[in-house]
Amino acid sequence: MRLLVPGTRVPDFELTTTHGERMTSAEMPASYLLVFYPFAFSRVCTAELRELQEHLADMRDRDVEIFGVSVDHKFALRAYAEQEGLDFALLADFWPHGATAQQFGCFDADAGRALRATYLVREGRIVDAFSSAAGEARPWSRYEQALERAA
């Protein structure tokens, strides 16, 4: 995995919301977390996204939005978000398959999935980037560290 480095301008991207609307990098808020994860409904991904949901109010208090990104189809992501009670957007990198994950250096072409990578973005630039190995959750403490560095 070759993550983009802090200071890098965010690549232009276009993803699909759970309701089929297109969302581009130009439409993103001033500060956000782009959280790539392999698959909806999987054990580790679900635990990670539940933890982000638990901290959502804190993130929004810091004016940071969360966007989860996987290669799942928008319909699967909608069902997943409803099942898990997620109040942040899940975006589909379904077609072209994994194109955005590829741009961000976190696509596993052999398995056809996004890898676990997180980008904190402010004003169109990457402020921090971190990842974890397959099967390993990213700890909440690493998100806090990113937010403190960027403050």
Side-chain angles (χ1 to χ4, degrees):
M1 179 170 7
R2 293 194 139 182
L3 297 181
L4 301 178
V5 298
T8 304
R9 212 147 168 79
V10 171
D12 290 335
F13 63 85
E14 185 175 296
L15 296 163
T16 305
T17 70
T18 57
H19 295 285
E21 298 158 343
R22 304 304 274 171
M23 179 170 251
T24 68
S25 50
E27 297 168 312
M28 298 300 272
S31 296
Y32 61 95
L33 283 168
L34 207 53
V35 181
F36 290 91
Y37 61 98
F39 296 112
F41 299 103
S42 61
R43 183 182 54 81
V44 176
C45 296
T46 297
E48 282 191 301
L49 295 183
R50 283 178 182 166
E51 187 169 35
L52 289 175
Q53 178 64 39
E54 289 173 17
H55 293 280
L56 183 59
D58 179 46
M59 302 300 271
R60 289 185 172 157
D61 285 347
R62 298 176 189 213
D63 292 322
V64 176
E65 284 296 323
I66 301 171
F67 296 90
V69 182
S70 75
V71 297
D72 297 295
H73 194 276
K74 66 183 176 190
F75 295 123
L77 290 178
R78 186 181 323 155
Y80 181 56
E82 289 172 5
Q83 174 183 301
E84 294 301 321
L86 301 176
D87 294 321
F88 55 88
L90 298 183
L91 304 174
D93 192 11
F94 183 73
W95 198 258
H97 191 72
T100 299
Q102 289 175 43
Q103 288 179 284
F104 281 83
C106 58
F107 184 72
D108 179 348
D110 293 333
R113 65 180 181 191
L115 298 170
R116 291 180 204 291
T118 301
Y119 289 93
L120 176 58
V121 179
R122 291 231 166 118
E123 303 297 334
R125 291 208 175 273
I126 295 167
V127 175
D128 198 2
F130 56 96
S131 64
S132 64
E136 269 184 43
R138 290 157 282 195
W140 173 249
S141 61
R142 185 59 182 90
Y143 286 91
E144 288 179 316
Q145 185 180 30
L147 292 166
E148 287 171 16
R149 278 190 201 155

